[in-house]
Amino acid sequence: QISLLLSSPSLLLPQLHYILHLSLPSSSLISSINSPHIMSAPQCPHISGQRESNEPPEHGINDGLGSTCPTHPYSKVDRDGKVVTRDETLTEILISKGVQEVNLISAIVALGEATTHIAAILQNYVDHTYVGTQNSSGDDQLHLDIDCDNACFQAIREVGVFATAASEETPEEIDVSPPSTKKDAEDGPMYSIGFDPLDGSSIIDANFSVGSIFGIWPGKGLLGRTGREQVASVVSLYGPRTTLIIALPSKSRGDGQGDSTFEVTLLKDRSHWEVSRAEVVLKPAKKVFAPGNLRATNDNPKYDALVKHWIQERYTLRYTGGMVPDVYHMFAKSGGVFSNVSSVKARAKLRLLYEVAAMGLLVECAGGVTTHEFEDKSVLDIVVDDLDKRLGVCFGSKDEVETYKQFMFSK
């Protein structure tokens, strides 16, 4: 049969067309199965890891306009005779978790689309090139950071349910509301979002897992808000698998149930979301620790004593230098403790709006505890009085955070 196909192009080309149809987006298919040559897929600058052709080489802080990628439409998967897209599978999952507000479902689904696009960008990333500027944290910006930021803003703008957005790479409140400014009550609520499009870009060249962090607030505006006001938060993890972990406080679940944290995984060539952890719960105690900003132990004696306690008590170290994989490990293992403590010589770099609030909601909805590094106060109760507000934190299992407090809050 193989010899017959190879000797007869008229038979071979329809077979190639069928194979390509199963594996490639429609825009990348052979335009005509009668052609004697196979056409190469169109180049997609947004997916290639390179700069957009119309983007200045010194772009620096992003403008939040997003970037459309017309040559890379998303694929679909056939399930039980029905064409089911990513957004439909994630929508079904959110409904099953008790989310009834249509616009909130749309908002979270849009973040799933941003995550999928970033996963494609990362898989095609080659050049570790810098823009030549720094973000608000003083980190040198990679072109990759800007590409991922654009992917997020594209999804946020297209869904039409967000009013305001700000990110680590775009550290200002950007109006992302849909073109039609008239909103009727029946159109549903609008939301605002603070996010870090690519947490861990400094460790990506070692092929470590990295992530994205999203916090969703009701209404318009982010200044003056607290993490407690969030209606949901989402964290994406990019590694051997692409996953989302989603926090839904009880106020966002119409079924009257309590807080929920759960995980979904992107499957079938990035075409389908499936629940991989129906409920993520942090147990009261777990001897796993991730001590961030260890340089602070040099001139913070309390932090130094705490880290030595963890070692003496034979805790298991799980630390990569990326906030998303380090905190995510607690979710995977049902417990542990993550800390990022500052000192005079080693200041905290975690941003309340872009990282801490969203991650804090995930931890507390999973039954864990959060606290400010020097104050016995949940990170969800700290006001975002500056878009660049930074702080040290401790997240984790109830008993482990209590141990942190005993060491760090003692007189």
Side-chain angles (χ1 to χ4, degrees), residues 370-401:
T370 71
T371 186
H372 184 280
E373 60 175 329
F374 298 137
E375 182 182 3
D376 191 359
K377 184 177 185 179
S378 166
V379 299
L380 298 183
D381 296 322
I382 300 173
V383 177
V384 181
D385 51 14
D386 184 332
L387 295 180
D388 191 46
K389 188 182 185 74
R390 307 178 201 186
L391 66 159
V393 302
C394 181
F395 297 154
S397 298
K398 179 178 178 294
D399 294 350
E400 307 303 341
V401 176

Side-chain angles (χ1 to χ4, degrees), residues 49 125-130 140 142-144 201-205:
Y125 161 70
V126 177
D127 295 329
H128 191 103
T129 55
Y130 290 91
D140 291 328
L142 290 168
H143 285 135
L144 180 64
S201 58
S202 63
I203 62 174
I204 195 171
D205 279 352

Side-chain angles (χ1 to χ4, degrees), residues 326-404:
D326 289 339
V327 177
Y328 209 108
H329 192 268
M330 295 194 306
F331 298 135
K333 297 299 183 181
S334 301
V337 61
F338 167 88
S339 62
N340 192 294
V341 178
S342 63
S343 69
V344 174
K345 295 181 181 179
R347 305 306 300 170
K349 294 178 65 176
L350 298 181
R351 273 88 20 165
L352 176 61
L353 176 61
Y354 310 127
E355 299 163 310
V356 172
M359 197 68 82
L361 186 66
L362 280 163
V363 170
E364 294 199 8
C365 283
V369 176
T370 71
T371 186
H372 184 280
E373 60 175 329
F374 298 137
E375 182 182 3
D376 191 359
K377 184 177 185 179
S378 166
V379 299
L380 298 183
D381 296 322
I382 300 173
V383 177
V384 181
D385 51 14
D386 184 332
L387 295 180
D388 191 46
K389 188 182 185 74
R390 307 178 201 186
L391 66 159
V393 302
C394 181
F395 297 154
S397 298
K398 179 178 178 294
D399 294 350
E400 307 303 341
V401 176
E402 184 59 36
T403 298
Y404 172 93

